Every structure is written in structure tokens, then in C-alpha cells.
Amino acid sequence: MTTILVTGGTGTLGRHVVTRLRAGGHDVRVLTRHTPPYDVDLREGDDGLDRALDGTGTVVHCATSARGGDEQAARNLIAAARRAGVEHLVYISIVGVDRVPFPYYRTKLAVERQFEDSGTGWTVLRATQFHDLLFRLFQGLSKSPVMPLPAQVKDQPVDVREVAHRLAELAQGAPAGRADDMGGPEIRTLHSLARGYLDAAGRRRAVVKVPLRGSAYEAFRAGGHLAPERAVGKRTFEEYLAERFAVTGGGR
């Protein structure tokens, strides 16, 4: 069995990837900023990174930061992986990073290109947005009596555990380059998805469709972030919500 390092291995996606890989019998190391023994800030690229990668055959890169620095983190990770003789680099990206001029998407695309140019075997999987992201968005917006949402924008949320299963599968195989995109089972308006959230949460809010401007909004409105031909996910947003609220006991 291969020794596999998962960056961001305690995060929304990473923890499920770790579980899948360990179930497959692999020795899995979890690298995060704050969890010993592999507590490393990838943006700094300190000596702990070399120690974490020593003897590792595959790296699954799930770590990301809303504070920025993803490109530098990838640069440090790839350099250390090459020093350690890692044979397979696996990266999770987002559908539409090459079509939607959104700052975070541009960063993801730049990291993709670093993996492609790394000189090491690589695999990139692009997925649509996780159910969890929409949940957090709607949860925050519903704190107000009115929920403003971008007009004429659709989404295709996918279950994080299904993506983790596919990512772990790819990590256990040979480098595949750009893997087939992975999208959720339904393409729906944000308005419809928000209504689904409100119904599940037992909240009554006015949902207002707000037209926006800019190239990123136009690209989202045109569906640049969707993968209708790759609607391979099975779990719907309502199924996710039913499980989520069954655990939390409701959203009021």
C-alpha cells in the first residue's frame, strides 16, 4: 500500500478523502497548519514539509485558504514533492476555472497549471460547488428578513462525499492528467435552491433576485461553472439538507 499525504486533511473535503484512503488500507498522513505531527503552513514551506513528504508516493492537495497564498503554497508543495521523489500529485479544482474570470477561480487555474508543469505525474479533478457551500451561503443570508441572490444564476451542487470517493479513487490509480469533470445531479436556479433551504430550515424569508454587473457575473449567468454533460452526482440538495437538519435538529 502507498503512503499518501493529504493536505487540508481535516477540511470539508479532505477529511472524507482521508477516510476513504485509510479504508483502502493506505498509510495516510494528514497535513494541516495546526494538527501534529504534520502541522505545516504550506505558504511558508518550512522543514516540516520535507519531513511530511519523506517516503510518500502520492500527494492529494485539498488545502486552500480564503486569505490567499494558494499559488505560493502549491509552489512550495510541488518543489518539496520533487525533492522527495513523489510520483503522483492529485489536485481538486473547480468546474469553470478557465471560463469564469472570478479571482478565486483564476487562482485555482494557476495552481492547475503548476501541477501540469511540475515534471511529476499529475491528476486534476474539477468538481462543481459542494452542497456545504450553498448551505453556508443561505444560512448567512437568511439571518436577514430578505435574502438577496444574483439574478439568473444557476448552480449544480454536488455531494462532498461523492467527490471524495472519486478523488480517492484517482489517487490510488496512475496519473490521469485532467480527469472528467464531476457535477451534481441537478442544475437549478439559486432561487430554487434557496427555497429548498428555507423549507428544510423552517424559515420564511423574502428571496430577492438582484441583477449584477461585471464579467464574472456574466460568466456565471451563462453557466460557465456548470457541467451538464457530467451530472454524475447522485445525492440531491434536498437529500443533503434532510440529513444535515436531522443531525442539527432544525434551523430556526
Side-chain angles (χ1 to χ4, degrees):
M1 292 292 106
T2 304
T3 298
I4 301 176
L5 177 73
V6 180
T7 72
T10 59
T12 300
L13 173 64
R15 60 193 175 91
H16 293 295
V17 174
V18 168
T19 298
R20 289 282 184 180
L21 291 172
R22 284 178 173 162
H26 296 280
D27 173 24
V28 182
R29 300 175 184 174
V30 175
L31 186 147
T32 72
R33 290 196 301 271
H34 306 297
T35 306
Y38 304 113
D39 45 336
V40 175
D41 188 333
L42 285 173
R43 296 168 299 181
E44 301 298 328
D46 58 32
D47 293 341
L49 182 53
D50 288 316
R51 179 170 56 85
L53 286 165
D54 184 34
T56 298
T58 298
V59 173
V60 183
H61 187 34
C62 298
T64 186
S65 174
R67 296 180 294 175
D70 280 10
E71 291 183 55
Q72 183 60 49
R75 196 171 295 115
N76 291 334
L77 177 64
I78 291 168
R82 292 181 66 178
R83 290 194 297 271
V86 170
E87 298 176 348
H88 190 186
L89 298 171
V90 184
Y91 182 55
I92 181 67
S93 190
I94 307 171
V95 169
V97 292
D98 54 347
R99 299 191 295 262
V100 179
F102 186 64
Y104 183 63
Y105 281 29
R106 286 172 172 157
T107 296
K108 297 291 281 188
L109 181 60
V111 173
E112 281 189 17
R113 288 171 175 163
Q114 288 188 52
F115 272 60
E116 293 169 10
D117 296 338
S118 66
T120 301
W122 59 276
T123 300
V124 169
L125 173 65
R126 293 180 181 176
T128 54
Q129 305 295 336
F130 299 151
H131 294 312
D132 307 67
L133 179 64
L134 289 179
F135 179 90
R136 293 194 301 270
L137 171 66
F138 297 149
Q139 186 180 51
L141 291 175
S142 65
K143 293 178 181 179
S144 169
V146 176
M147 292 179 64
L149 293 172
Q152 297 181 306
V153 173
K154 297 179 180 179
D155 213 334
Q156 188 181 358
V158 67
D159 188 71
V160 67
R161 289 176 295 189
E162 294 175 353
V163 177
H165 176 80
R166 178 59 177 147
L167 199 62
E169 187 177 59
L170 290 166
Q172 294 173 89
R178 266 288 306 280
D180 289 337
D181 291 350
M182 186 170 184
E186 300 176 317
I187 295 177
R188 295 167 53 186
T189 65
L190 283 180
H191 180 271
S192 167
L193 291 163
R195 283 295 173 197
Y197 168 82
L198 291 171
D199 289 344
R203 294 181 175 180
R204 298 182 66 180
R205 300 288 189 272
V207 180
V208 178
K209 303 173 187 178
V210 181
L212 302 176
R213 294 183 179 179
S215 57
Y217 170 64
E218 292 301 328
F220 279 123
R221 194 172 70 166
H225 61 305
L226 306 177
E229 72 289 351
R230 293 296 303 164
V232 296
K234 303 297 183 185
R235 195 161 176 244
T236 68
F237 189 52
E238 273 72 17
E239 289 170 338
Y240 161 83
L241 291 170
E243 180 180 341
R244 180 80 182 237
F245 284 122
V247 172
T248 61
R252 289 187 181 276

